[in-house]
Amino acid sequence: MNNKLHGEDRIEERRCALQTELDSQKTPTARNKLGQFATPTQLARDVLSYGLNLLPKGESIRFLDPAIGTGSFYSALRASCGQRLVTWARGFEIDPHYGQPARELWQDMPLDITMGDFTQQQPPANDAEKANVLICNPPYVRHHHLSGIDKVRLHKVAHSAANIELSGLAGLYCYFMALSHRWLSEGGIAGWLIPSEFMDVNYGKALKAYLLKEVTLLHIHRFDPNDVQFDDALVSSAVVWFKKQKPPALHEVTFSYGGTMQKPALVKSISTRDLEQTEKWTRFPKQNVEAKHEGYRLGDLFIIKRGVATGNNKFFILEEERARTLNIPQNFLRPILPSSRYVKDDEIRADSDGVPLLDKRLFLLDCDLSEEEVQRQYPDLWSYLQSGLKDVAPGYLCQSRRYWYAQERRAAAPIVCTYIGRSDHDGKPFRFLLNRSKATATNVYLMLYPTPLLAAQLQQNPEALRSLWRALNSISKETLLGNGRVYGGGMHKLEPKELANVPADELAALVGLGHKRYVKQIEIEEAIVD
């Protein structure tokens, strides 16, 4: 046995050297477009060993990897299967750059590698010819790299294969999971190494419905986002295990976090009924099932919008001295906040003109006059705009505007929030800033505007805004992270709808709002009277 393992280690060393060589011959951009991120050896062996333990003892192995690359999971199979019989092993690889060398590497082994696009292949009709162990690190290709024609085709075959209605925002890995349904035998085991974001985002809802209704979801292990599994891909990874059979009643799913699959840091069982009612699965196993909240949420108090997307910050956002040197007219310059690293205090004060009292004073160039008017009335501004015709004006956002240099209207918000943060920092992952200036903000911030409900209360007591700001900064780290989404390297994001979903009963009480149900009843009665 030891001699066999040493032999597998030697061929794995050869495979790793080959992988490194092949990767070096491609640019990171080319690999990113095809979602080519190789599975590290120890991770592949940990995942594979766990999966084999899910098979009934004594059952021989029919192995399939729909995106085999150089064969990291097949190598792990050979190192982990022990005395189990491997009846056959098969893989698909779309890129000959990896597929052909892999064929040569494994030519003396019982592995059949088909060169071609897995999503175009026809699955076996006979259940005995299908895999009972399917393990894959599918290509992490984001939706914008998929053509419209491919999306239509993939959507249709995903629905046909697995009864999944995938969104147009779904990545290619979602389609791989759906199409693989027909390649797995009844009762077969599937393991998928995929980005954990599917557990939080809207396009992941269809995939979660599949895992809860079409198969028996067994285990989801989420790696600590600070422990990135792929050196060349900044994603937070998860391993999803399921059995191809309808789920039993009162089924529970194992959720684990941190460490390895076989030695996780945290483990908890969650019922499928609770999963159906939980929007964000990444809260498990670190948090308990979220109690249904009937009260206020931040979206009841604030209209939350992302900041301005300028189309080219370097061109449209000017430091005060540069704007003066260029002789840009003041009426086309709006103060705008710098990134949060230049904002030392959480309260932003302003001068008499409403410009933030910060060391870095920035202005947004914004003009809604026609080119003819600019050229005739403001020659210096016209000259600066001409310098952006080649590289800035053709940009997607600029092209979509009436005038390519006219910015979207986004008033200064009384409170802004940093929408990207890190969970491994000792302080707060997100900062709420009290904005007493007239500065708008870019899309690195979320902008919080009082709803009519809150505005009415603030009109009676304007100082309550300061209390709200302090309360926002007191919201627990766990609550904010639990409502956001996580990426590799411990980076967390809060989208407007996610921040709006945060419970806010304590904040509502600060401004004198009664129980939400009571307030809603008053609104209904007033509507009836009107």
Side-chain angles (χ1 to χ4, degrees):
M1 176 67 182
N2 287 336
N3 288 336
K4 179 179 183 296
L5 188 56
H6 290 323
E8 300 307 333
D9 286 342
R10 283 193 293 272
I11 195 168
E12 174 60 9
E13 287 178 3
R14 289 170 53 200
R15 189 199 67 78
C16 289
L18 176 64
Q19 183 75 50
T20 301
E21 179 186 352
L22 295 173
D23 285 347
S24 69
Q25 295 168 3
K26 281 198 159 194
T27 65
T29 302
R31 288 173 51 223
N32 184 271
K33 188 173 182 179
L34 289 175
Q36 295 170 324
F37 304 105
T39 311
T41 300
Q42 289 308 120
L43 176 58
R45 289 186 175 183
D46 180 51
V47 171
L48 201 290
S49 297
Y50 183 90
L52 293 183
N53 289 330
L54 297 175
L55 270 185
K57 287 185 178 180
E59 185 173 327
S60 60
I61 298 167
R62 304 186 304 278
F63 172 86
L64 174 64
D65 183 345
I68 198 165
T70 60
S72 56
F73 281 125
Y74 178 68
S75 180
L77 173 67
R78 292 183 60 82
S80 307
C81 65
Q83 300 301 314
R84 278 185 184 265
L85 173 66
V86 179
T87 304
W88 51 258
R90 189 175 184 185
F92 291 89
E93 177 53 46
I94 191 172
D95 188 354
H97 179 75
Y98 292 98
Q100 194 55 47
R103 272 181 170 176
E104 294 170 8
L105 175 69
W106 300 109
Q107 61 184 341
D108 296 328
M109 309 296 175
L111 171 63
D112 175 26
I113 297 180
T114 299
M115 301 296 299
D117 181 355
F118 172 72
T119 70
Q120 302 271 15
Q121 308 299 315
Q122 288 298 317
N126 190 333
D127 207 55
E129 297 175 0
K130 298 181 180 182
N132 64 348
V133 176
L134 189 155
I135 299 183
C136 186
N137 170 14
Y140 184 47
V141 177
R142 290 191 175 276
H143 73 92
H144 50 263
H145 288 313
L146 301 174
S147 69
I149 294 174
D150 272 341
K151 283 185 180 182
V152 171
R153 175 182 66 85
L154 289 168
H155 181 274
K156 182 177 180 180
V157 293
H159 181 267
S160 174
N163 196 29
I164 302 181
E165 288 285 347
L166 287 168
S167 156
L169 300 179
L172 185 58
Y173 73 91
C174 298
Y175 295 104
F176 261 66
M177 292 179 73
L179 270 58
S180 293
H181 190 81
R182 286 180 172 172
W183 291 82
L184 190 63
S185 63
E186 194 65 26
I189 300 296
W192 292 89
L193 177 56
I194 58 177
S196 64
E197 66 181 30
F198 86 91
M199 293 192 272
D200 289 345
V201 296
N202 283 335
Y203 76 73
K205 289 179 180 178
L207 195 55
K208 290 189 287 188
Y210 165 75
L211 294 172
L212 292 176
K213 296 176 182 178
E214 303 299 327
V215 295
T216 299
L217 181 59
L218 302 173
H219 188 168
I220 295 181
H221 176 79
R222 187 162 64 91
F223 295 98
D224 186 332
N226 297 307
D227 180 18
V228 178
Q229 299 302 306
F230 302 92
D231 294 335
D232 46 3
L234 195 62
V235 295
S236 176
S237 304
V239 183
V240 179
W241 287 104
F242 60 82
K243 179 185 287 190
K244 187 181 175 182
Q245 67 178 32
K246 293 286 186 178
L250 306 177
H251 179 59
E252 292 197 340
V253 180
T254 300
F255 275 75
S256 57
Y257 175 86
T260 66
M261 274 233 64
Q262 300 194 67
K263 292 184 179 180
L266 293 172
V267 180
K268 186 178 289 184
S269 293
I270 308 295
S271 73
T272 51
R273 184 168 61 179
D274 285 333
L275 290 175
E276 286 176 351
Q277 298 173 358
T278 301
E279 186 174 348
K280 292 183 178 291
W281 287 7
T282 52
R283 68 182 296 113
F284 306 125
K286 297 179 76 175
Q287 300 178 49
N288 294 321
V289 176
E290 186 178 23
K292 191 172 182 181
H293 183 75
E294 300 287 354
Y296 290 97
R297 296 185 183 272
L298 285 182
D300 295 313
L301 305 180
F302 295 99
I303 298 167
I304 304 173
K305 295 181 176 291
R306 195 175 293 142
V308 176
T310 69
N312 189 307
N313 287 355
K314 188 175 180 181
F315 183 84
F316 289 112
I317 297 179
L318 306 171
E319 292 197 25
E320 188 171 35
E321 185 58 35
R322 184 156 187 257
R324 189 179 295 118
T325 301
L326 292 169
N327 202 27
I328 305 295
Q330 192 63 42
N331 54 315
F332 299 128
L333 295 171
R334 287 195 282 153
I336 191 166
L337 296 177
S339 67
S340 60
R341 70 176 178 273
Y342 296 108
V343 183
K344 296 183 176 65
D345 298 322
D346 286 351
E347 182 173 355
I348 301 169
R349 295 174 174 82
D351 63 17
S352 58
D353 294 323
V355 180
L357 291 171
L358 300 170
D359 292 339
K360 196 173 186 69
R361 289 158 64 93
L362 301 178
F363 292 85
L364 175 66
L365 173 58
D366 179 20
C367 175
D368 58 0
L369 299 180
S370 69
E371 294 186 48
E372 292 77 12
E373 289 176 287
V374 173
Q375 185 177 18
R376 185 173 62 252
Q377 299 182 44
Y378 304 99
D380 291 323
L381 173 58
W382 172 255
S383 177
Y384 181 66
L385 292 177
Q386 295 310 291
S387 71
L389 285 178
K390 180 180 177 182
D391 297 325
V392 181
Y396 174 77
L397 281 178
C398 294
Q399 282 188 324
S400 66
R401 299 168 180 156
R402 182 184 179 192
Y403 306 125
W404 66 268
Y405 43 80
Q407 299 294 328
E408 60 181 312
R409 292 294 160 189
R410 192 61 55 83
I415 295 175
V416 296
C417 171
T418 57
Y419 95 117
I420 293 179
R422 295 184 63 85
S423 59
D424 55 351
H425 285 182
D426 293 333
K428 300 170 295 187
F430 306 101
R431 293 171 63 193
F432 292 90
L433 308 177
L434 183 62
N435 183 20
R436 296 174 58 191
S437 75
K438 294 180 180 178
T440 187
T442 66
N443 55 2
V444 299
Y445 292 99
L446 299 182
M447 307 181 76
L448 282 68
Y449 303 92
T451 61
L453 177 66
L454 175 59
Q457 300 300 111
L458 291 177
Q459 191 170 14
Q460 300 175 35
N461 181 16
E463 285 303 309
L465 181 65
R466 181 174 292 274
S467 299
L468 285 176
W469 162 59
R470 291 194 178 113
L472 284 166
N473 275 311
S474 297
I475 296 173
S476 73
K477 174 180 177 179
E478 291 72 25
T479 297
L480 292 174
L481 294 180
N483 278 277
R485 58 191 68 180
V486 63
Y487 297 87
M491 185 179 74
H492 290 254
K493 237 202 235 185
L494 267 176
E495 296 292 349
K497 288 183 180 179
E498 293 167 340
L499 181 57
N501 196 47
V502 171
D505 287 330
E506 292 181 9
L507 279 80
L510 284 174
V511 292
L513 288 172
H515 191 279
K516 186 175 182 181
R517 186 178 298 173
Y518 174 70
V519 172
K520 286 292 183 185
Q521 184 60 37
I522 292 176
E523 290 176 352
I524 292 170
E525 290 172 357
E526 288 177 346
I528 292 172
V529 170
D530 291 343

